Amino acid sequence: DMTAREQSRFAFFSSASRDALVESHALERDLRRALDNDDELTMHYQPIIEGETIIGAEALIRWQHPSHGMVSPEAFIPLAEESDLIELIGRWTLRTACRQIAIWREQGIRDQKIAVNLSARQFNDPTLLTYLDETLREFAIRPGTLELEVTETSAMSDAAHASTIMSKVRDLGVSIAIDDFGTGYSSMSYLRTMPFNKLKIDREFVQDIASNADRQAICRTLIALAHELKLEVLAEGTETLSEVTMLREQGCNLFQGFYFHKPMPAEELATLLKREFVLPCSHAT
Ligand code: C2E
Ligand code: MG
Ligand code: MG
Ligand code: MG
């Protein structure tokens, strides 16, 4: 029950924000239940392309809510970040992705590098390394098949700490990508002290690049920076051939976007990979 003070505070909310608050409490309760049931949450995988080949995939969480339908992670991850739920979700995603890597391996599918998103809280969680190590062992995962994605903003909030965590993750053999790169206005001098492997250029700079001189300049700069720092560079959210062509000309060779594939269930990706594997390679000489 609310105290009088809380009640008077609550009265200041407009009815719209009160609805939003009630709604977010309901969502939080539902998410907690979803984590227990384990059937509303699933993982989808979006292929990552090098040349014309799928070389990996990003694991993206999906929540099929019993009455609201599909709830976007953009809506529920920030909500989960405000409570202990993000720890549970973080473990669920890492474990689900590792279990999937093991399943694909048992199915004889060649190794893919699977990228898992870490929330800011998860990245700074002191138990991350232990949990990561335990999970790799549990499913006998070759660490090189796992990549962790950290957003630029969560890495920059405490650069020295971030560097330490990244080194320890790399010591386990797991690689690190900086996600949504370019949106955080980081200082380059900080960035180059951090031992990550890959830059993922945010979709914001990639979309409509062919007709936007500013975005062209930004992507060219980010790609040159990545090469300079000997980092891999990937363009997110590529939707058209003209975007891909322009980015290839600029020196980007890793792609992820609807032009190639949308995120898909694990079984669908397996089918795709098996097909690719048995077809004679059209580029073989
Ligand atoms: P992100 O990590 O930057 O993931 C890329 C997002 O871009 C995905 O949205 C993907 O579906 C979308 N995308 C990929 N290609 C295209 C394209 O060509 N066009 C357009 N319009 N969109 C494209 P999604 O799956 O809705 O995820 C949104 C964000 O939610 C992710 O952004 C990530 O920040 C977060 N997220 C998703 N899954 C997880 C998770 O398991 N854990 C955590 N902590 N965050 C997650
Ligand atoms: Mg990501
Ligand atoms: Mg991203
Ligand atoms: Mg993003």
Side-chain angles (χ1 to χ4, degrees):
D1 277 359
M2 281 192 270
T3 64
R5 187 156 163 264
E6 279 166 346
Q7 259 166 9
S8 71
R9 280 231 215 121
F10 200 62
F12 282 110
F13 286 118
S14 69
S15 70
S17 65
R18 185 153 45 212
D19 288 351
L21 190 71
V22 170
E23 174 70 1
S24 78
H25 279 304
L27 267 189
E28 191 183 316
R29 178 204 61 210
D30 292 352
L31 189 52
R32 209 172 284 280
R33 192 208 47 228
L35 275 160
D36 284 337
N37 293 351
D38 215 63
D39 55 351
E40 290 173 35
L41 293 178
T42 51
M43 202 63 113
H44 279 197
Y45 297 86
Q46 185 178 29
I48 290 172
I49 311 292
E50 179 170 26
E52 287 172 43
T53 313
I54 299 172
I55 57 149
E58 177 175 6
L60 295 157
I61 195 169
R62 295 290 176 261
W63 181 17
Q64 184 68 42
H65 187 284
S67 53
H68 299 315
M70 197 67 104
V71 183
S72 165
E74 313 234 37
F76 72 84
I77 295 286
L79 184 73
E81 286 250 14
E82 288 165 19
S83 70
D84 61 318
L85 276 173
I86 197 63
E87 287 165 39
L88 300 173
I89 290 182
R91 288 177 179 226
W92 185 90
T93 53
L94 201 54
R95 203 159 182 283
T96 302
C98 286
R99 193 204 291 126
Q100 191 60 57
I101 293 174
I103 292 172
W104 281 327
R105 188 184 52 213
E106 278 159 26
Q107 294 175 343
I109 290 164
R110 67 190 153 78
D111 269 356
Q112 301 288 314
K113 182 170 269 189
I114 301 303
V116 175
N117 290 284
L118 289 192
S119 73
R121 287 256 306 257
Q122 208 183 347
F123 181 62
N124 291 301
D125 177 353
T127 67
L128 170 70
L129 285 156
T130 320
Y131 187 69
L132 181 59
D133 193 30
E134 280 170 10
T135 310
L136 290 169
R137 284 168 201 275
E138 179 182 355
F139 296 104
I141 302 295
R142 201 164 59 74
T145 56
L146 188 67
E147 184 162 82
L148 300 183
E149 294 193 4
V150 183
T151 64
E152 190 186 350
T153 3
S154 55
M156 291 309 139
S157 65
D158 181 347
H161 180 66
S163 283
T164 310
I165 307 285
M166 285 182 194
S167 312
K168 289 183 175 160
V169 168
R170 299 260 325 249
D171 287 346
L172 289 176
V174 172
S175 63
I176 296 178
I178 298 289
D179 204 356
D180 303 342
F181 190 74
T183 58
Y185 311 100
S186 317
S187 145
M188 286 307 141
S189 55
Y190 269 148
L191 261 185
R192 52 188 321 156
T193 65
M194 294 193 190
F196 53 85
N197 307 76
K198 182 187 287 175
L199 287 182
K200 295 188 78 172
I201 302 177
D202 195 72
R203 188 165 90 216
E204 181 186 327
F205 305 114
V206 165
Q207 264 167 4
D208 303 321
I209 183 178
S211 59
N212 184 314
D214 289 344
R215 292 182 193 171
Q216 279 167 38
I218 291 168
C219 286
R220 195 179 302 113
T221 308
L222 296 180
I223 292 163
L225 172 76
H227 289 162
E228 181 76 23
L229 298 179
K230 308 254 188 304
L231 298 168
E232 293 182 85
V233 59
L234 176 150
E236 291 192 302
T238 36
E239 292 186 356
T240 66
L241 179 60
S242 58
E243 289 163 5
V244 173
T245 305
M246 169 147 290
L247 287 154
R248 278 202 172 121
E249 280 165 12
Q250 294 187 339
C252 183
N253 64 340
L254 295 172
F255 295 93
Q256 183 184 345
F258 295 174
Y259 173 70
F260 296 100
H261 297 284
K262 290 193 167 168
M264 60 185 82
E267 306 73 49
E268 234 174 87
L269 180 56
T271 307
L272 206 61
L273 290 169
K274 279 182 198 152
R275 196 180 339 153
E276 213 177 56
F277 193 67
V278 294
L279 275 179
C281 177
S282 55
H283 302 285
T285 47

